[in-house]
Amino acid sequence: MTLSLDLCLYLCAAVFSIGVYGVLSRQNIIVILMSLELMLNGVNLAIISFGRYFITPEGSALSGTGASSSQIFVIIVLAIAAAEAAVGLAILLAVYRRWRSARIGDMRLLKG
Amino acid sequence: MDALVFYISGILMVASALLVVTRKNPVYSAILLVVFFLLTSLNFLVLRSPFLAVIQVLVYGGAIMVLFVFVLMLLNLTEEELDEKVEPGRKLLAGAGSVLLFVLLAWAINSSERIQAAGDTDLTGPVKESVARAGETREIGEALFSEHILPFEFTSILIFIAIIGAIYLTKTRRADERQATEPAVEQPEESA
């Protein structure tokens, strides 16, 4: 049984699309933030797949420490995801305290 | 064998992701999201990234999920507040949009020459000794603190700003302080 690169990428595309569906269809802000985490995870898996593909049996297609580059990418995405979750949930708390609602449809102060 | 693990956990990943976005109660979503993160870390292991597999469990499964569950507990939403009142047309439209996005992505993957050049290259196959450790802690540390030191330092600034932002946003102001900063919004009758 073998694992090909495009199969990994189809899985990432599926997870990303499910995340997009969650962001578009849900009203609860917490679940929307969770869907964002799903999307970021899909992207992380794609980066890891590409990084693994470039490590061929003959060695790495990338020079020097390049073989670890995909890992560094994912670490930085992870840090940004953590920061995003913290700020997003802080905004949610502030909004809930003001309007007593966690529904995104109720936030229409800037709606024209 | 490794490929089989990837296939099974991949199918379970899609299933748990679907459940995360469709459950009505966000607590179920949070628990299923932990399952999703654990399965993702299994796939990271198959793709020779042991360090990231551990970090995935620690940071996502631990830190970020605790944050989510903590906020869920803090808000303590009632049955009525959880009712989303989404019209079915909107859900249908969102479903159609995301299926369209998946089809577009699949088409892009399918028609990309560089990805198709990979063909049936087995991602679970053996690799040469010199790069076999690329996903391990020592190699990542060396790369992070030599070649990628600048983005690493910028990440620390970003997290610092995020901490300040989160504290500022969740800070409750005292009553007298609030009167000084937002008089028109809080006490419209008195100011009139």
Side-chain angles (χ1 to χ4, degrees), chain A residues 2-3 7 17 24 26-28 30 37 41 45 48 52 55 57 65 68 71 79 81 96-98 103, chain B residues 7 21 23 37 49 52 56 60 81 83-85 90 102 121-123 125 131 134 147 155 170 172 185:
Chain A
T2 60
L3 178 63
L7 211 121
S17 307
L24 291 179
R26 295 301 297 258
Q27 283 278 305
N28 192 326
I30 302 177
E37 301 294 334
N41 260 279
L45 194 60
I48 294 279
R52 174 66 186 82
I55 299 173
T65 53
S68 295
Q71 319 273 328
Y96 185 81
R97 211 174 279 147
R98 190 90 164 74
R103 222 177 279 141
Chain B
Y7 288 146
V21 297
R23 287 309 88 189
F37 288 148
S49 310
L52 283 176
Q56 174 86 6
Y60 272 117
E81 282 173 310
D83 186 24
E84 306 210 338
K85 298 178 196 140
R90 186 189 158 122
F102 177 72
T121 315
D122 188 11
L123 292 191
V131 289
E147 203 178 337
T155 309
T170 50
T172 42
V185 181

Side-chain angles (χ1 to χ4, degrees), chain A:
Chain A
M1 214 166 195
T2 60
L3 178 63
S4 60
L5 177 65
D6 50 353
L7 211 121
C8 289
L9 295 177
Y10 286 131
L11 174 65
C12 304
V15 171
F16 189 85
S17 307
I18 292 169
V20 169
Y21 172 74
V23 171
L24 291 179
S25 72
R26 295 301 297 258
Q27 283 278 305
N28 192 326
I29 299 179
I30 302 177
V31 182
I32 289 178
L33 287 171
M34 286 183 195
S35 305
L36 283 176
E37 301 294 334
L38 279 184
M39 288 163 71
L40 284 167
N41 260 279
V43 174
N44 275 354
L45 194 60
I47 296 171
I48 294 279
S49 310
F50 276 118
R52 174 66 186 82
Y53 167 62
F54 281 117
I55 299 173
T56 53
E58 293 81 44
S60 176
L62 310 156
S63 59
T65 53
S68 295
S69 286
S70 65
Q71 319 273 328
I72 309 284
F73 247 77
V74 173
I75 290 172
I76 288 172
V77 170
L78 212 114
I80 290 171
E84 168 251 311
V87 173
L89 291 170
I91 291 173
L92 168 60
L93 278 180
V95 159
Y96 185 81
R97 211 174 279 147
R98 190 90 164 74
W99 281 290
R100 292 279 140 208
S101 166
R103 222 177 279 141
I104 198 139
D106 292 345
M107 268 121 245
R108 51 184 73 189
L109 207 63
L110 288 179
K111 200 172 173 184

Side-chain angles (χ1 to χ4, degrees), chain B residues 64-143:
Chain B
I64 294 183
M65 282 327 293
V66 166
L67 204 65
F68 273 101
V69 175
F70 201 79
V71 169
L72 272 177
M73 190 194 73
L74 214 63
L75 293 187
N76 198 13
L77 296 172
T78 58
E79 197 78 20
E80 188 197 355
E81 282 173 310
L82 286 176
D83 186 24
E84 306 210 338
K85 298 178 196 140
V86 183
E87 55 267 46
R90 186 189 158 122
K91 276 200 167 163
L92 211 68
L93 212 61
S98 53
V99 167
L100 188 70
L101 177 69
F102 177 72
V103 170
L104 271 175
L105 285 171
W107 174 75
I109 293 165
N110 213 16
S111 60
S112 158
E113 277 171 30
R114 293 206 62 180
I115 294 173
Q116 290 312 311
D120 287 333
T121 315
D122 188 11
L123 292 191
T124 58
V127 297
K128 209 178 169 188
E129 192 66 34
S130 62
V131 289
R133 307 173 65 83
E136 286 175 17
T137 315
R138 184 195 170 94
E139 307 295 316
I140 292 173
E142 275 172 5

Side-chain angles (χ1 to χ4, degrees), chain B residues 121-174:
Chain B
T121 315
D122 188 11
L123 292 191
T124 58
V127 297
K128 209 178 169 188
E129 192 66 34
S130 62
V131 289
R133 307 173 65 83
E136 286 175 17
T137 315
R138 184 195 170 94
E139 307 295 316
I140 292 173
E142 275 172 5
L144 192 58
F145 290 105
S146 59
E147 203 178 337
H148 302 279
I149 186 74
L150 194 64
F152 174 75
E153 295 294 346
F154 277 126
T155 309
S156 67
I157 296 173
L158 177 91
I159 290 177
F160 182 60
I161 294 170
I163 292 170
I164 295 174
I167 292 173
Y168 176 74
L169 283 168
T170 50
K171 202 180 78 160
T172 42
R173 301 209 184 101
R174 288 198 313 275

